[in-house]
Amino acid sequence: WFLDWLSCRLADKILLDTNEQIKYFVSEFKIKKENFFRLFVGTDDNLMKPREVLSSNDLPAKPSGKILVFFYGNYIPLQGAKYIIEAANILKGENFHFNLLGSGQEYQGAVELIQKFGLKNITFLPRVSYEKLSLYINQADICLGIFGHTPKANRVIPNKVFDYLACAKPFITAETPAVKELLRDRVHCLFCQIADPKDLAEKILELKNNLA
């Protein structure tokens, strides 16, 4: 906290990724709003762009006859991986397969939740390079953003949202004040209720029925 406060106090201009973050910093550190400038995170569109993925030694084979749902992250609370798994459990009788890429803080809890539900429609994938990540995104039919119920989740637009947009992939993410600074529901993506696996499952079904 002290290092953030001191850095902001010493700076002439402070770059933050959303207006919600700016509001938080103004309130938390008592710094004039005029000192801040919003700069969206963005992505590297030399790598993150639409591409046809037919087959690759770098990718696991796409499950035959399945709608492939993709998520990547560090399994931190704001990402809400457990809500994705609970949604997958709701949809276990449907023709979906979920690829979850990455590792981190809540990874072991995610593994245990899958074991508890006895799910066969989820594959965990290890971290990959940023360049290979674009292949995984383009291979997917539906991509997933963040769903965790944390204060920070309401203040940020995650990197993955910009990656999905650059790859022109249909995706679902939680409706938050920050994400609405950039995106409109049913124009750029589908919003779902935060920390609500039932609503997430319904939105995945809705996208499945509108992929064409």
Side-chain angles (χ1 to χ4, degrees), residues 10-184:
L10 292 174
D12 296 310
K13 287 293 181 182
I14 306 159
L15 305 182
L16 289 176
D17 53 330
T18 67
N19 287 331
E20 289 297 313
Q21 284 281 56
I22 290 171
K23 285 164 57 178
Y24 172 74
F25 270 63
V26 168
S27 173
E28 183 72 14
F29 298 128
K30 312 304 179 192
I31 297 171
K32 294 179 180 179
K33 185 177 180 181
E34 294 73 25
N35 289 14
F36 293 89
F37 180 80
R38 183 183 70 177
L39 183 65
F40 288 130
V41 171
T43 189
D44 182 353
D45 57 11
N46 290 314
L47 296 175
M48 293 295 170
K49 57 187 176 182
R51 63 179 75 181
E52 188 173 13
V53 181
L54 298 176
S55 63
S56 172
N57 293 331
D58 296 323
L59 297 177
K62 187 173 180 179
S64 178
K66 299 289 187 180
I67 302 296
L68 186 58
V69 183
F70 179 73
F71 165 85
Y72 80 89
N74 296 320
Y75 289 83
I76 56 178
L78 75 84
Q79 293 174 346
K82 66 179 180 179
Y83 302 112
I84 296 173
I85 294 168
E86 289 172 2
N89 186 48
I90 294 170
L91 297 170
K92 61 186 175 184
E94 302 284 343
N95 64 325
F96 293 103
H97 191 84
F98 292 74
N99 277 352
L100 308 185
L101 186 151
S103 61
Q105 182 179 347
E106 296 186 337
Y107 176 80
Q108 186 56 41
V111 172
E112 292 171 0
L113 190 57
I114 287 173
Q115 293 171 343
K116 174 185 174 182
F117 291 143
L119 297 179
K120 305 297 184 184
N121 61 343
I122 293 179
T123 298
F124 284 116
L125 300 170
R127 293 172 185 263
V128 297
S129 68
Y130 191 61
E131 185 172 8
K132 289 182 181 178
L133 178 60
S134 67
L135 296 176
Y136 282 88
I137 292 172
N138 277 285
Q139 184 192 45
D141 299 300
I142 296 170
C143 295
L144 300 178
I146 62 171
F147 309 98
H149 189 47
T150 70
K152 187 177 178 181
N154 285 293
R155 301 198 305 264
V156 300
I157 305 173
N159 300 55
K160 57 181 64 62
V161 161
F162 296 95
D163 292 340
Y164 300 155
L165 287 169
C167 292
K169 301 303 294 188
F171 69 94
I172 304 163
T173 196
E175 182 177 7
T176 67
V179 81
K180 289 195 290 186
E181 293 179 28
L182 178 68
L183 305 178
R184 290 173 55 198

